[in-house]
Amino acid sequence: MTKDQNEMANYLKSYLNNEKINSLNDKDFLRCRYLDLGYLDSFDIIHLIVDIERKFNITIQSSDTESDKFRYFKGLIEIIQSKL
């Protein structure tokens, strides 16, 4: 994981503050399909998107949220990086 990816992963972990997510090692965290596992509900997702947009000064498009990348943390980090 690059330094930027590590910083984003730490940001996501601290933002979500979920015991299950925080207990994952880096490799498992990046592969974690948080939406499929139900770690976030629809309101949590909306709040996460808004917070990401504010923190990184980017816009998350509906095409981003509909992509498979959005369903796991590594993909979400890639989406954020692509917009910086």
Side-chain angles (χ1 to χ4, degrees), residues 10-23:
N10 288 334
Y11 157 75
L12 290 171
K13 283 182 180 180
S14 67
Y15 176 82
L16 297 170
N17 196 25
N18 179 298
E19 185 177 322
K20 292 177 185 175
I21 292 171
N22 289 336
S23 68

Side-chain angles (χ1 to χ4, degrees), residues 35 45 49 60-68 70-71 79:
L35 292 180
I45 294 167
I49 291 169
I60 304 290
Q61 304 292 330
S62 60
S63 59
D64 298 319
T65 61
E66 294 167 1
S67 73
D68 188 57
F70 188 77
R71 303 184 80 70
I79 290 169

Side-chain angles (χ1 to χ4, degrees), residues 3-83:
K3 182 181 175 187
D4 289 342
Q5 287 174 327
N6 192 40
E7 288 175 9
M8 287 180 197
N10 288 334
Y11 157 75
L12 290 171
K13 283 182 180 180
S14 67
Y15 176 82
L16 297 170
N17 196 25
N18 179 298
E19 185 177 322
K20 292 177 185 175
I21 292 171
N22 289 336
S23 68
L24 298 171
N25 64 41
D26 288 343
K27 185 177 178 182
D28 289 338
F29 172 78
L30 291 175
R31 294 186 303 182
C32 177
R33 296 182 69 84
Y34 61 93
L35 292 180
D36 296 343
L37 295 172
Y39 289 162
L40 302 175
D41 64 24
S42 56
F43 290 112
D44 293 331
I45 294 167
I46 291 168
H47 289 286
L48 176 62
I49 291 169
V50 169
D51 197 71
I52 288 170
E53 289 180 331
R54 286 182 183 155
K55 175 155 181 69
F56 297 103
N57 196 28
I58 61 173
T59 300
I60 304 290
Q61 304 292 330
S62 60
S63 59
D64 298 319
T65 61
E66 294 167 1
S67 73
D68 188 57
K69 281 186 170 188
F70 188 77
R71 303 184 80 70
Y72 62 101
F73 289 115
K74 181 178 180 186
L76 180 55
I77 290 169
E78 289 173 0
I79 290 169
I80 294 168
Q81 285 181 313
S82 73
K83 296 181 176 293

